[in-house]
Amino acid sequence: MGWLSATVTDDRLDAADSAATSDAVRAARRQRFLGSARPTLDRVYRLAGLLLGNATEAEDAVQDALIVAWQRFDELREPDRFGAWLDRIVVNGCRDRLRRRGTVRFVPFAVEIDPAGRDPFASFLERDALLGAIDRLTLDERIVVVLRFWGDLSLEAIAERQAWPLGTVKSRLHRALGRLREIHDRETSDAMEARR
């Protein structure tokens, strides 16, 4: 009987030691994740906001991306590339949300009804003529423009983050800038005609 109780006690100690070790491992993983994620949050939120044009959707997209990143954090081979990795997760999440917009209709509240006031991304996009036209680009063109000019990424970095060939990034950017130029010229011409 003494041997059995000694064995049970040893098993309990081993289990407690294992639990303490796994708690320590989980705590260390959590600290590494938070240490990597915190410095990138503002940037990925703005990235999502510019891609989606809506603050609430941007918050949701970043939250979803953080969940995916947490679940896959152990798969990240190069911890110093966390920012680029999270950017890719955010962009892919925004891409999915923009595709679903065809089936979901968002009805914005009037400013006097919305207690939080105006959406900061919507008002920013309205103030900037070129960014205001960005919603008329294709999804991939929009991603390239935002990453290049807002994210200040090189074409090579965009290609790497999106897993696209460099030539594809260049052609999408070229096509997007041409379309933005056409939109701007057309709107400028229309405004001049309206003044006459």
Side-chain angles (χ1 to χ4, degrees):
M1 195 68 149
W3 172 80
L4 181 59
S5 64
T7 304
V8 170
T9 304
D10 289 344
D11 289 344
R12 286 186 187 155
L13 289 175
D14 288 343
D17 187 44
S18 177
T21 301
S22 64
D23 286 346
V25 168
R26 279 195 296 269
R29 179 182 188 266
R30 181 176 185 271
Q31 288 304 320
R32 283 193 328 271
F33 180 80
L34 292 175
S36 297
R38 279 188 181 123
T40 65
L41 290 179
D42 286 340
R43 185 178 48 76
V44 295
Y45 172 65
R46 287 190 300 267
L47 174 64
L50 288 171
L51 288 173
L52 298 169
N54 180 291
T56 303
E57 266 197 284
E59 290 171 5
D60 290 344
V62 170
Q63 181 67 34
D64 291 347
L66 287 171
I67 291 169
V68 169
W70 172 255
Q71 292 169 342
R72 296 182 183 164
F73 188 58
D74 294 331
E75 298 171 17
L76 181 61
R77 286 174 277 198
E78 299 176 51
D80 58 323
R81 307 267 311 137
F82 182 87
W85 181 65
L86 186 60
D87 282 357
R88 187 172 184 179
I89 294 170
V90 168
V91 168
N92 287 337
C94 290
R95 177 190 319 269
D96 292 342
R97 286 174 177 277
L98 289 168
R99 285 182 182 145
R100 285 193 304 259
R101 277 190 181 171
T103 59
V104 177
R105 183 159 184 244
F106 292 95
V107 180
F109 286 116
V111 175
E112 56 276 358
I113 296 173
D114 184 7
R118 293 202 36 127
D119 183 311
F121 290 109
S123 58
F124 177 72
L125 293 173
E126 287 171 7
R127 282 193 310 267
D128 189 297
L130 287 178
L131 276 178
I134 202 168
D135 65 339
R136 298 183 206 162
L137 299 176
T138 68
L139 176 58
D140 289 338
E141 291 169 348
R142 186 176 190 164
I143 289 168
V144 171
V145 168
V146 169
L147 288 175
R148 176 67 186 107
F149 297 107
W150 177 83
D152 199 28
L153 295 176
S154 68
L155 298 177
E156 293 80 9
I158 295 169
E160 180 184 340
R161 288 183 183 190
Q162 295 305 303
W164 293 337
L166 181 59
T168 300
V169 173
K170 288 179 179 180
S171 66
R172 287 179 180 163
L173 182 61
H174 179 75
R175 196 170 40 250
L177 293 177
R179 290 182 65 197
L180 286 173
R181 196 172 300 112
E182 287 173 15
I183 292 167
H184 180 264
D185 291 348
R186 186 175 39 241
E187 288 178 353
T188 302
S189 174
D190 292 347
M192 292 173 80
E193 286 295 320
R195 285 187 215 154
R196 290 183 189 177

